[in-house]
Amino acid sequence: MRAARALFAALLLCAPSARAYNEAIHAFLTLRAFGQRTSWLAEELPAPAPSGVDAFRALFYREAAARSAQFREHFPSLDRFDAWEMKRYFMLNPKAQVHGFDPVDLRPMKRGDLLALASRWPDDDERNRYRFHHDEKREVVRAPDGSILPEDPASLDFGGLTGTTSQGHAHYGLVEGPLSDDPEVLKKEPRRFAIPKTAHAYGAELAQLYTDLALLAAASDLPGGEWLATCFAGAAFHHIEDVGNQIHTVQVGFYDFFRDAFLQSKLRDVVTLGGVLGARRSLKQIGLRLVANHHLFSEDLFAKRVLEVTSGASGSPEVRDAIAGLDRDDPALVAEAGRRLARTPATFGSDLTQAVIELSSPEGAEVYRLAYALSAKTLRRGGGHEYDGAKGDDPDAYLAPPSPERDRALSDFYALEGRGLRRAATALRIWEARFERAWRGPSAEVRDGAVLRSVTFLDDYQRKAAERRTRYQPEREEQSRIAWGYPIGAVALVAIAVVLFARKRRRDVS
């Protein structure tokens, strides 16, 4: 069992992608969710000046310092809480130019345009990537082996430290309740499988943090406050939309990836005599290729179908039906959200995200299964094609040959993905209704609740991240050595065959 867990852990060291939907789908879904509110979307919002962004940060500082001794100790004065420190405190890459935290794209916009852009900015401005730990001189800190020390080692549970996968921790969301690292759980209830079993994704928490920043901006009297509130609302929308894509609610999601990676790795060892006749491919290398290929392929395939329908093409009937249904609330999501919001109405950002996760996560493994069933063989081989839409790969070119089985899998895949879109659109409308009621309360109470929720979570998070850094052990680079057992075994088999053949020859002669 320990060996099996180690093999699963290897598959998780580099998550395949952290984009639940591509950026165009985020923008489309945000606007389509409010398609019936055309006048509201058309309202012109004046942008804050750069000094207005500074004023908002100063407002947060005053409110946070009044409520948290830990915050005051770490940031004894406003000049110690500049944009760099605010981004770091909010679990972001301090070197990134982040909308709402830095004076980026400050121009008047219609509400709809700003919401659509803001819902894709968490991907575009790379705020959740490259979270390196920095010292007081803002230089990167390195571990004893010379590798970069992560700001929070727990972020590596969902990806690497660099590149697209380094934002995985912020763009996934796992089901609440106990998780397990037992491979049997991956077979039977994939949404409750995680390596390590303490793994935690922060999509729901980030949705709440942006919700509270939006409330603080809306309740302020700062010039451009409504623009800032809309900017943060769009960021909250992004994280809610992320978990509408079911594969962003499971860490692995599909046992067959592990099974096939293991078999392909062993077959490769046999063919290459353990690396003598060619490079070996480890379970980790093959497994990551299989997961990444089908993650990216499935996202691009569905995005292409959505964009076809929205551009006027006939497209898939399942996708047409899904888009046509985005104006209608999903009853199951309304019921699940209602139960959660009745218990904790103030945390509607995280509660709505968690409600979507609860309904999406049972379908995560099925999305992967369908993608695996309808993909071309080259995507299912560890030594086959490495799919990358950013480099021009067309998902239609990597579909399996037409067959009744493939076509059924396609129909089921589009219908399941469409279900996720509808959930996300429903969640956005519930969020907006809650937000419009919440920010119109007494300003002091709105500010108090928003900031208190933020510092309570972030102070605790920062303390635990610091503790994790002290325990951090860099992963050793994987070595691909020759497995001498294979060539020795082959030589032994040949020797045995020669001996048996010689004996037979002697018997035949005598």
Side-chain angles (χ1 to χ4, degrees):
M1 185 66 72
R2 181 177 299 174
R5 290 194 180 104
L7 293 174
F8 281 118
L11 285 177
L12 301 172
L13 292 174
C14 295
S17 170
R19 304 173 309 154
Y21 296 120
N22 71 24
E23 290 81 358
I25 298 300
H26 275 293
F28 161 75
L29 181 56
T30 297
L31 286 176
R32 192 66 175 77
F34 301 102
Q36 313 241 343
R37 301 185 64 182
T38 54
S39 298
W40 179 73
L41 292 174
E43 291 175 4
E44 191 81 17
L45 301 182
S51 59
V53 177
D54 294 337
F56 178 74
R57 185 175 67 255
L59 171 62
F60 180 87
Y61 176 84
R62 291 193 302 272
E63 298 287 342
R67 289 164 176 79
S68 168
Q70 180 178 320
F71 184 89
R72 289 195 303 274
E73 180 181 355
H74 198 76
F75 306 109
S77 60
L78 176 58
D79 64 336
R80 297 283 297 275
F81 192 67
D82 59 4
W84 172 287
E85 288 296 345
M86 185 175 183
K87 287 180 286 188
R88 187 200 61 78
Y89 183 64
F90 272 83
M91 307 167 59
L92 307 177
N93 175 5
K95 294 187 72 173
Q97 290 293 295
V98 179
H99 296 80
F101 292 77
D102 295 298
V104 184
D105 288 326
L106 300 179
R107 62 184 188 274
M109 297 188 208
K110 290 181 171 56
R111 187 191 304 278
D113 294 339
L114 179 54
L115 272 176
L117 285 171
S119 71
R120 56 177 287 164
W121 280 339
D123 281 341
D124 290 342
D125 60 29
E126 301 187 356
R127 65 187 69 180
N128 302 118
R129 303 185 191 183
Y130 303 97
R131 290 187 61 213
F132 306 156
H133 186 54
H134 296 83
D135 61 19
E136 292 184 356
K137 295 180 180 179
R138 298 183 176 176
E139 296 179 351
V140 173
V141 177
R142 294 189 177 272
D145 68 344
S147 63
I148 294 173
L149 180 66
E151 176 70 9
D152 182 4
S155 66
L156 303 182
D157 292 340
F158 287 85
L161 188 54
T162 61
T164 307
T165 72
S166 60
Q167 69 181 29
H169 66 285
H171 296 260
Y172 277 71
L174 299 184
V175 68
E176 294 172 313
L179 302 175
S180 173
D181 58 4
D182 186 341
E184 288 299 314
V185 174
L186 180 58
K187 289 181 181 179
K188 297 174 182 177
E189 195 176 9
R191 66 177 184 155
R192 294 204 175 276
F193 177 83
I195 293 284
K197 60 185 178 182
T198 56
H200 186 81
Y202 289 93
E205 287 86 350
L206 283 163
Q208 185 61 48
L209 288 171
Y210 288 125
T211 296
D212 286 325
L213 287 175
L215 286 169
L216 181 63
S220 75
D221 57 1
L222 296 174
E226 191 171 5
W227 192 101
L228 284 171
T230 304
C231 173
F232 293 127
F237 287 1
H238 181 100
H239 291 280
I240 295 171
E241 291 164 355
D242 272 345
V243 295
N245 186 349
Q246 297 93 332
I247 59 177
H248 271 244
T249 63
V250 289
Q251 195 193 41
V252 175
F254 190 50
Y255 181 83
D256 290 18
F257 287 141
F258 164 76
R259 180 201 64 198
D260 289 358
F262 179 82
L263 293 174
Q264 290 182 35
S265 175
K266 294 306 177 185
L267 180 60
R268 178 71 180 177
D269 280 344
V270 171
V271 171
T272 65
L273 293 181
V276 173
L277 302 180
R280 301 177 68 199
R281 297 193 186 102
S282 69
L283 177 137
K284 174 184 173 181
Q285 291 169 327
I286 296 175
L288 288 175
R289 175 70 64 83
L290 297 181
V291 177
N293 276 350
H294 291 87
H295 190 123
L296 298 170
F297 164 73
S298 68
E299 288 180 348
D300 287 356
L301 181 64
F302 185 64
K304 184 176 182 180
R305 296 290 92 85
V306 170
L307 295 177
E308 285 173 352
V309 172
T310 58
S311 64
S314 59
S316 159
E318 293 82 11
V319 177
R320 286 200 310 272
D321 291 345
I323 292 174
L326 290 181
D327 293 331
R328 302 188 301 273
D329 285 341
D330 179 86
L333 192 278
V334 171
E336 180 65 27
R339 286 191 290 271
R340 292 171 179 270
L341 295 173
R343 297 194 299 265
T344 52
T347 53
F348 59 90
S350 57
D351 285 345
L352 279 169
T353 309
Q354 209 63 54
V356 177
I357 293 168
E358 179 64 27
L359 298 181
S360 289
S361 56
E363 300 167 354
E366 181 65 4
V367 172
Y368 271 129
R369 186 193 70 78
L370 291 168
Y372 209 41
L374 57 85
S375 65
K377 286 183 179 180
T378 188
L379 297 188
R380 289 183 268 129
R381 293 199 304 265
H385 180 69
E386 183 176 7
Y387 182 90
D388 190 348
K391 294 181 179 178
D393 282 344
D394 181 350
D396 284 328
Y398 293 95
L399 285 169
S403 69
E405 293 77 15
R406 190 211 70 171
D407 293 345
R408 280 195 298 272
L410 270 175
S411 295
D412 292 345
F413 171 76
Y414 294 145
L416 199 55
E417 289 281 339
R419 197 180 304 165
L421 276 186
R422 188 180 179 195
R423 277 190 201 117
T426 302
L428 299 191
R429 287 191 288 271
I430 298 173
W431 187 98
E432 185 59 38
R434 290 276 174 165
F435 178 79
E436 290 179 5
R437 289 199 298 270
W439 80 263
R440 289 190 171 90
S443 295
E445 292 182 14
V446 174
R447 292 196 301 270
D448 177 71
V451 175
L452 184 59
R453 283 188 295 273
S454 295
V455 296
T456 299
F457 168 73
L458 288 169
D459 284 352
D460 182 63
Y461 170 81
Q462 293 294 343
R463 177 181 56 79
K464 291 177 179 176
E467 292 173 355
R468 287 189 283 265
R469 286 195 297 272
T470 65
R471 303 191 301 269
Y472 174 64
Q473 295 292 326
E475 180 206 359
R476 292 183 179 180
E477 186 175 351
E478 184 179 39
Q479 300 292 324
S480 182
R481 299 187 178 93
I482 291 177
W484 288 108
Y486 288 93
I488 291 172
V491 170
L493 287 173
V494 170
I496 291 170
V498 169
V499 170
L500 292 175
F501 179 76
R503 287 179 179 176
K504 183 177 185 300
R505 289 268 302 187
R506 285 197 297 269
R507 286 197 301 267
D508 290 344
V509 171
S510 61

